[in-house]
Every structure is written in structure tokens, then in C-alpha cells.
Amino acid sequence: MESLQQQEAMSEGHNRIVAIVESPPSINSSKHFENDHDPQGQKSGWRKFLLFVGPGFLVSIAYLDPGNMETDMQAGADHRFELLWVILIGLIFALIIQSLAANLGVISGKHLAELCKAEYPKYVKYALWVLAEMAVIAADIPEVIGTAFALNILFHIPLWVGVLCTGLSTLLLIGVQRYGARKLEIVVSFLVFVMAACFFGEMSYVKPPAKDVLKGIFIPKLSGHSATGDAIALIGALVMPHNLFLHSALVLSRKIPNSVRGINDACRFFLIESGLALFVAFLINVAIISVTGTVCSQNHPSKETSDSCNNITLNSASFLLKNVLGRSSSILYAIALLASGQSSSITGTYAGQFIMQGFLDLKMKLWTRNLMTRCIAIIPSLVVSIIGGSSEAGQLIIIASMILSFELPFTLIPLLKFSSSTSKLGPHKNSIYIIVTSWILGLGIIGINIYYLTTGFVGWLTQNSLPRVGNIFIGILVFPLMAAYILAVIYLMFRKDYVVTFKDPTKIGPNAQIQMENGNPIPDYEDHIPHKDDLADI
């Protein structure tokens, strides 16, 4: 009876089958992905789930990078616990959007950069590639500078030397990928939990009031003239463009059976795993805001503490905590900042690999691609740290966050369109409810970022010390670029998808299909997602 029902379901076209490329490369039997399907289908649910753990934790690093840390600390210093609810809502948004990226890779067998290359005309494709590479560089700047600050706090080395050390150490850690994707995921996950332990350790010293923290998480409130701007900055810092490319590619490192059951299990497990990883990221963000809010709201603070709270940065935060909590807290902060910067740098370089491979189809050796991506990302930080020192390096973090906000629509809109497109996912596209929800969230985030950029530029234009003629000249140059930017966003939103990348799988007969649905391998049948050389090699 069960077999008959499965056959009827397949005949109605409800089976979720991943697309097969026209000429899939042959697979060497000695080179398998790390979680081969259990031949008897007997693995328990939690053991199957563990096979999918990893990509979500790599992706969650973007929500714990030094740029987010600085934004969190500023929010805690200015508003105590009032903006914790923004972190909760922002990470719920992030979970929905990241799950779309993971499902896109699982169902289509291609990651986002590959689909962009297939869909858009040549000039649009290259423009999106340049913007994606700029996003990787912009995301890497806070990581590099944050790590350099941490090394300066721990070992008192010059900032520019710390920048160079950051590049070398990240390349060494990425070398772990030679021993398998799971090993790299373990290293990065370890750094995440080091960071968590550091900030939770600091919380045990300052003991923020639990009642006020819970009220801040679950009761939305915006008080004060800068609360709205800080809330927008918090949300804008959460969703990173390169993270969407990264997540859609990392899921392809897992061997997923070409069946309704296999695809459904993979999408569910990746959603759960991403939820757990982002929950850990949420707790760490809450800890950062709670620690800073408690320290800066203490009764009768010293003048030095008050000055630090009024203009808190990644570099000054360590001295703030040191003055209040002692030397041990300063060391804990530096270790957490070091873990944040290093792990974020790894994922940023990793994303750059997939972006280059997807858009340009470049077949480069991994170490060459790592070195090139890393050098390009380090150059701006190195130049600024040599010329301007720590103060200018801190300003560079703000500029990098504005660049990421500017570029987000050019990654998010293709993701939303592809995940809702029959030409890309066939009958497995999102339901109407998910389409409406994801577009509302996506357009909300894009609108927030555009508002943040526009108000920031107008505010700078009206408050700078340049002559009026200079402001007029800058306005003449910038406002047409802003108009072109909005037109480009509208083009991506309303352009119809023409290229069909989804292909129905080869029919292998109802009995063989039922065996595959039950988790049993079919002899002489490749029941996995199309082979990815770059992912198999790692």
C-alpha cells in the first residue's frame, strides 16, 4: 500500500528531485563526499543530522564579525538593553534568507554565483561579479582590522604588523581545508565557541540584570534621538551579501540522494542546523550588548569610562572593560576579538573562492585563489593602518559597512527571484506564502539599507565643513549615481528570468524510484547532486 501511494505521488509530479546537468562529470570511486548515504538507510535521525552540521556554523560567523561587535557595543553603550529586540528580529530574518540560499543549492545543484552566470547577460554578469568581489573585500576589512586590534592588545605590536599577521594566519588556517571540509568547519566552530565562552565569562563578572535583558529582547522600544539610526545599523550589519553565495555553495559539499526523501531531509536538516548556529550567534550578540550596557550604565563612572562609552570602538572597548573589570577582562575581550576576526576572515576568503569560480568558471589551484583573494582584501586595511593609524582604521570599518549595505540588493534580489522561479527550481519553487514572506522581508531589509545610506549621505552633506560650492559639486556627482543605483535595483526586481536551468531527472522506473525513496542505493545509478570538483577537493 505504501509503495502504491508513493507511485501515485510521483505520478502527480509532487516529488522533489534535484536537477541533473546535461553531462555530469564522472566520479572517481575513491573520492567521495564526507557523508555518504547509509546503504541500509538505518542511521538514526540525530546521526543523519550530524552529517549536515557545519555549513550553518561557517555562515553564522558573519553575524559575529568585528563589525557586528562594534555596532553591538555602540548600541549597548547608548541604549543599554533597549535594542536587544532588534537583534532577535534581525536574526529571524537572517534565518529565513539563509535557508533560501541553502535550499537553492540543495534543489538546483548549483550555487548562487553559477545561477547568476547562467541567467544574466554578459555585462550584467560581470557587473554582479565585480560587486560580489567588492562585498568580499568590504566584509574582510572589519575582520582584518579587528584581528589587528586584538593582536595589538595582546602583544602590543603595531597595527600594520597585525594586519600582515592576519593574512598569514588566515592562510594557514585555510590550509586545514586540504584535510577535508569537515575539518575546516570544526576549526571555525571551535573559534565561535571560544568567542562565546569569552563573552559569557565577562557576563559572569558584570552580572547584567536578567529582567531588563529579557524586557529588551521581547519588548520593542525606541527611545532617544539616535535609537532609530542605531537600530537600522544593527539590522544592516546582519545580512551580508557574500554569505548568501557562501551558504548556497557549502551545502553542495554534502552528498544528497536524488529523491523526494533525500531532498526533503537535507532541506530540513540544513534549516535546523542554521537555526542552531544562528541561535548561538544571537546569544553572543546579546552578551556583547549586555556587557557593554551594564558597564556603561553603572553609577558614578569615572571620566575615562564615560568618555570611552560616548565613543566606543573596537580598539577602545578593551580599555573600557579593563578599567572596570580588571586586566583579565581585557585579555578575554582581545581573545574574543581575535577569534571573531580570524573565523570571519576564513569564511570571507572561502566565499571569494566560490564567487570567482561561479561567475568566471576559473579553475585555479586553491592556494593560488586563497592568496589572491586574501591579498586584495588586505591591501586597503594595510594602507590605512600605515597612513592613518587606529583612528582611521576604525573609520574604515564604518565605510566597509556602508559598502555592504549598498551592495546587498544585488545579491538578495537574485536569490529571492531564483528561489521563487519555476525556471530554476521547477515544481520545487517556494510556495506562495514563502514567496510573499521572503519578498516582504527582503524588500524591508533593502529599504532599510537604502534609507541608511541616503540619510547618512545627506547628513554628511549638510554637516561637513566644505564650502557650499564643494557640496553642490558633490551633490551633482552623487545624486545621479543614486538614481542609477535605484534603477539597477528595479531592473533586477522586474527582469523576467529567461534561462531554464532546471531539468527533470531521468526516469529509472517506479520500483527503482521506490527503493531510492526508502534510502536504498540503486546499482549503476548516481543518486547524488552533480559533482563539484572544487567542493570535492576540499
Side-chain angles (χ1 to χ4, degrees), residues 235-293:
I235 293 179
L238 287 175
V239 181
M240 300 282 188
H242 71 284
N243 232 24
L244 304 181
F245 291 107
L246 179 64
H247 206 173
S248 64
L250 286 173
V251 296
L252 298 178
S253 65
R254 303 306 198 258
K255 182 181 177 183
I256 301 172
N258 187 13
S259 64
V260 177
R261 177 180 175 180
I263 297 298
N264 283 338
D265 284 349
C267 290
R268 182 174 70 255
F269 287 147
F270 281 129
L271 175 62
I272 296 172
E273 188 246 357
S274 297
L276 291 175
L278 290 177
F279 180 68
V280 173
F282 168 74
L283 293 179
I284 296 176
N285 279 277
V286 168
I288 296 171
I289 294 178
S290 299
V291 167
T292 310

Side-chain angles (χ1 to χ4, degrees), residues 83-306:
L83 297 184
L84 286 173
W85 63 273
V86 178
I87 298 294
L88 177 62
I89 293 177
L91 286 177
I92 292 174
F93 288 2
L95 177 60
I96 295 173
I97 293 172
Q98 293 296 159
S99 67
L100 293 182
N103 291 346
L104 183 70
V106 169
I107 298 170
S108 70
K110 298 178 180 294
H111 55 78
L112 182 58
E114 292 175 321
L115 291 174
C116 288
K117 177 190 175 184
E119 173 60 40
Y120 293 111
K122 181 183 252 187
Y123 66 92
V124 177
K125 175 187 71 176
Y126 285 121
L128 291 177
W129 169 68
V130 170
L131 289 171
E133 293 288 358
M134 289 176 61
V136 172
I137 295 172
D140 211 28
I141 288 173
E143 284 87 33
V144 170
I145 294 176
T147 303
F149 280 151
L151 294 174
N152 176 263
I153 295 168
L154 290 172
F155 307 111
H156 306 289
I157 63 176
L159 192 63
W160 66 271
V161 176
V163 169
L164 292 177
C165 293
T166 299
L168 295 175
S169 60
T170 302
L171 287 175
L172 290 176
L173 287 174
I174 290 179
V176 176
Q177 71 185 21
R178 294 181 56 189
Y179 301 98
R182 299 301 294 271
K183 307 301 187 300
L184 180 62
E185 291 164 357
I186 290 171
V187 170
V188 173
S189 299
F190 171 76
L191 292 174
V192 171
F193 285 106
V194 166
M195 184 180 175
C198 290
F199 277 105
F200 293 152
E202 290 183 357
M203 283 187 70
S204 69
Y205 282 100
V206 300
K207 295 181 173 60
K211 181 180 178 181
D212 291 344
V213 171
L214 291 175
K215 286 174 62 177
I217 292 174
F218 296 108
I219 301 178
K221 185 178 180 182
L222 289 174
S223 60
H225 68 282
S226 63
T228 302
D230 288 343
I232 290 172
L234 283 173
I235 293 179
L238 287 175
V239 181
M240 300 282 188
H242 71 284
N243 232 24
L244 304 181
F245 291 107
L246 179 64
H247 206 173
S248 64
L250 286 173
V251 296
L252 298 178
S253 65
R254 303 306 198 258
K255 182 181 177 183
I256 301 172
N258 187 13
S259 64
V260 177
R261 177 180 175 180
I263 297 298
N264 283 338
D265 284 349
C267 290
R268 182 174 70 255
F269 287 147
F270 281 129
L271 175 62
I272 296 172
E273 188 246 357
S274 297
L276 291 175
L278 290 177
F279 180 68
V280 173
F282 168 74
L283 293 179
I284 296 176
N285 279 277
V286 168
I288 296 171
I289 294 178
S290 299
V291 167
T292 310
T294 304
V295 171
C296 289
S297 62
Q298 63 178 331
N299 294 325
H300 309 296
S302 65
K303 184 180 184 303
E304 186 176 0
T305 299
S306 298

Side-chain angles (χ1 to χ4, degrees), residues 371-383:
L371 183 61
M372 184 175 68
T373 305
R374 198 77 192 120
C375 289
I376 294 173
I378 280 180
I379 289 172
S381 303
L382 183 62
V383 172

Side-chain angles (χ1 to χ4, degrees), residues 361-517:
D361 197 26
L362 290 180
K363 303 300 183 182
M364 300 173 63
K365 292 183 179 180
L366 287 179
W367 71 269
T368 305
R369 197 158 58 197
N370 290 343
L371 183 61
M372 184 175 68
T373 305
R374 198 77 192 120
C375 289
I376 294 173
I378 280 180
I379 289 172
S381 303
L382 183 62
V383 172
V384 171
S385 62
I386 292 174
I387 297 175
S390 60
S391 60
E392 294 299 326
Q395 290 296 317
L396 189 60
I397 294 178
I398 298 175
I399 295 173
S401 66
M402 294 184 68
I403 293 174
L404 289 171
S405 298
F406 172 84
E407 295 185 353
L408 179 61
F410 301 104
T411 305
L412 184 56
I413 291 175
L415 173 65
L416 295 177
K417 292 193 69 176
F418 294 160
S419 61
S420 307
S421 171
T422 303
S423 66
K424 300 298 181 292
L425 300 185
H428 320 305
K429 69 176 184 178
N430 293 331
S431 67
I432 186 63
Y433 303 105
I434 297 178
I435 291 174
V436 171
T437 302
S438 61
W439 272 100
I440 290 175
L441 296 179
L443 291 177
I445 294 173
I446 291 171
I448 287 172
N449 282 319
I450 292 178
Y451 172 82
Y452 179 67
L453 288 170
T454 304
T455 55
F457 173 71
V458 173
W460 175 83
L461 202 62
T462 56
Q463 297 176 8
N464 66 50
S465 57
L466 293 175
R468 181 176 297 179
V469 176
N471 285 331
I472 293 174
F473 182 72
I474 293 174
I476 292 174
L477 289 177
V478 173
F479 282 114
L481 293 177
M482 294 176 67
Y485 172 79
I486 294 173
L487 289 175
V489 171
I490 293 174
Y491 166 80
L492 288 178
M493 287 178 58
F494 292 100
R495 179 187 181 276
K496 182 180 179 181
D497 290 348
Y498 294 101
V499 179
V500 178
T501 58
F502 178 83
K503 298 183 184 298
D504 287 325
T506 304
K507 302 298 182 182
I508 60 174
N511 292 330
Q513 183 71 32
I514 290 170
Q515 289 292 321
M516 190 167 60
E517 292 293 339

Side-chain angles (χ1 to χ4, degrees), residues 149-151 153-156 194-195 197-199 202 205 317-319 321-323 325-339:
F149 280 151
L151 294 174
I153 295 168
L154 290 172
F155 307 111
H156 306 289
V194 166
M195 184 180 175
C198 290
F199 277 105
E202 290 183 357
Y205 282 100
S318 62
F319 300 103
L321 296 174
K322 179 180 178 181
N323 291 333
L325 304 174
R327 179 175 174 79
S328 61
S329 183
S330 177
I331 295 174
L332 283 177
Y333 168 78
I335 293 173
L337 184 59
L338 183 64

